[in-house]
Amino acid sequence: MASLERFIELARAHADTVDFAVVYLEEAHPTNGWLYPSVEHYIEQHTALTDRVAAASILEQRLVELTTDGNAPRVPIYVDGMDNAVSLAFGALPERLAIVVDGRVEFIGGRGPEDYSVDEAFATVQKLLPQ
């Protein structure tokens, strides 16, 4: 996820009022597909759910590594099924920020990493929170 450091910072700031979650989708830049030159991890396209779960665990570890005190914010990581239902429903590949309140989508940001903003998503959170 691009801007992961900023996401962690803001998730910590709102940890008492907002439940955060990440859904790991299909690999955007697999080694046996469209490999982007600056990827940090070399992951093949997932052929089974176990592959996707293993890749999601790398993201989970990255959350901890980026937290200087080792205390990552509570952000569960869910894994999209091999049918890519979540990705298709949200038009999320390669990544997208969404805010869901009581089962209703209140915000969908632009597609990442170029066309979304963690700050825009959190400005929406501020508007949605009771004053």
Side-chain angles (χ1 to χ4, degrees):
M1 173 192 289
S3 306
L4 189 56
E5 293 91 345
R6 183 72 176 134
F7 177 79
I8 290 169
E9 178 185 334
L10 294 170
R12 282 179 138 181
H14 295 286
D16 294 339
T17 54
V18 178
D19 295 324
F20 294 90
V22 171
V23 179
Y24 186 89
L25 309 172
E26 64 184 292
E27 185 59 35
H29 303 291
T31 57
N32 56 342
W34 188 58
L35 181 60
Y36 197 74
S38 65
V39 296
E40 292 181 36
H41 302 283
Y42 294 96
I43 300 170
E44 289 190 359
Q45 190 61 269
H46 313 128
T47 58
L49 190 58
T50 53
D51 299 333
R52 197 166 282 182
V53 170
S57 71
I58 294 170
L59 175 60
E60 184 176 39
Q61 183 172 345
R62 187 76 176 129
L63 278 170
V64 173
E65 289 170 359
L66 288 173
T67 309
T68 54
D69 61 6
N71 186 18
R74 169 126 172 67
V75 179
I77 299 176
Y78 301 100
V79 178
D80 198 3
M82 294 307 290
D83 60 357
N84 299 315
V86 174
S87 181
L88 293 170
F90 285 88
L93 190 66
E95 55 192 353
R96 185 166 249 179
L97 299 171
I99 299 171
V100 180
V101 178
D102 296 327
R104 182 175 166 200
V105 177
E106 295 288 344
F107 169 87
I108 296 182
R111 286 197 178 140
E114 295 87 9
D115 194 29
Y116 81 78
S117 163
V118 175
D119 291 330
E120 179 186 16
F122 279 90
T124 302
V125 167
Q126 293 288 19
K127 291 177 191 173
L128 293 170
L129 288 173
Q131 300 301 324

